[in-house]
């Protein structure tokens, strides 16, 4: 495929569905490795599939889905045998962003929460987070590339996305951008 778009919803159910459908490896291979053309002939070049994730779809793209437990917006009890937030600690996502986890719906209201929880993930403290204001963003309404003045942040092991932003894996080097 040329593009995989994963919308929001219950992150835990999405993770469970991807796992039960055996889609983790298929999605990873399409986006960051493997042969997405269905054959192994050397004359076919691998062009990675673009992955766009919004909300739960962004969280799933990260290394860990644990960030879905931080605000307690999603109900984990929909997944048998993983019915509490504690059950999801250390649960892996697709890891499409080079070992980085993703926290969507970021606003200044969550700065303290992100600082506290990121420390729990053994990440750097909030004062070492780089504000990614000025990163390229794509306005989905008109398709134009713009600069962002956002409260999104990028840290070595955590990306935060503003409300309504999407996460996009652009190429095999795991380049990413926030999409408004």
């Amino acid at each position: 495929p040329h593009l995989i778009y994963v919308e929001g919803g219950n992150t835990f159910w999405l993770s469970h569905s991807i796992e039960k459908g055996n889609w983790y490896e298929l999605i990873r291979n399409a986006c960051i490795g493997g042969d997405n053309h269905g054959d192994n002939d050397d004359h076919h070049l691998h062009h990675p599939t673009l992955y766009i994730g919004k909300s739960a779809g962004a969280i799933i793209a990260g290394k860990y889905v644990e960030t879905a437990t931080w605000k307690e917006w999603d109900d984990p009890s929909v997944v048998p045998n993983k019915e509490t937030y504690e059950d999801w600690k250390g649960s892996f996502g697709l890891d499409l962003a080079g070992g980085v986890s993703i926290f969507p719906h970021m606003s200044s209201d969550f700065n303290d929460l992100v600082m506290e929880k990121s420390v729990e993930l053994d990440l750097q403290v909030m004062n070492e987070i780089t504000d990614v204001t000025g990163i390229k963003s794509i306005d989905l309404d008109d398709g134009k590339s713009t600069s962002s003045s956002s409260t999104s942040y990028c840290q070595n092991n955590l990306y935060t996305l503003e409300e309504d932003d999407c996460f996009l894996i652009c190429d095999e080097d795991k380049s990413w951008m926030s999409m408004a």
Side-chain angles (χ1 to χ4, degrees):
H2 296 286
L3 175 91
I4 296 173
Y5 177 80
V6 182
E7 183 62 60
N10 187 311
T11 306
F12 308 118
W13 184 252
L14 177 60
S15 177
H16 173 73
S17 297
I18 290 172
E19 181 181 333
K20 287 295 183 189
N22 295 316
W23 298 339
Y24 270 103
E25 190 169 333
L26 292 172
I27 294 170
R28 282 186 51 74
N29 284 343
C31 295
I32 62 173
D35 179 14
N36 67 349
H37 298 289
D39 60 38
N40 291 316
D41 293 345
D42 289 339
H43 67 277
H44 287 287
L45 296 175
H46 172 69
H47 298 284
T49 299
L50 294 176
Y51 179 95
I52 300 174
K54 182 169 182 172
S55 191
I59 293 172
I60 290 295
K63 182 172 184 174
Y64 296 105
V65 283
E66 183 175 336
T67 57
T69 69
W70 292 4
K71 291 184 264 184
E72 300 183 354
W73 285 4
D74 293 347
D75 178 9
S77 70
V78 299
V79 178
N81 303 316
K82 290 188 100 172
E83 297 161 352
T84 69
Y85 294 114
E86 191 67 30
D87 293 336
W88 288 91
K89 290 203 179 212
S91 292
F92 288 101
L94 292 165
D95 197 12
L96 299 178
V100 174
S101 296
I102 301 167
F103 181 82
H105 309 290
M106 181 65 180
S107 71
S108 59
D109 296 339
F110 297 115
N111 285 343
D112 290 340
L113 175 70
V114 168
M115 182 171 65
E116 174 191 337
K117 296 296 187 175
S118 65
V119 169
E120 290 177 17
L121 281 178
D122 197 27
L123 303 177
Q124 298 175 9
V125 294
M126 194 66 145
N127 65 0
E128 296 179 40
I129 292 176
T130 303
D131 185 345
V132 292
T133 298
I135 63 171
K136 287 186 179 177
S137 297
I138 297 172
D139 186 323
L140 295 176
D141 292 327
D142 64 13
K144 294 180 182 173
S145 180
T146 62
S147 291
S148 172
S149 57
S150 68
T151 56
S152 297
Y153 296 97
C154 175
Q155 177 180 351
N156 287 341
N157 296 314
L158 179 70
Y159 296 146
T160 62
L161 302 174
E162 283 188 324
E163 190 73 31
D164 297 328
D165 280 0
C166 292
F167 182 79
L168 168 66
I169 300 292
C170 301
D171 57 36
E172 62 270 355
D173 295 327
K174 300 177 188 85
S175 298
W176 68 277
M177 70 177 71
S178 168
M179 293 176 49

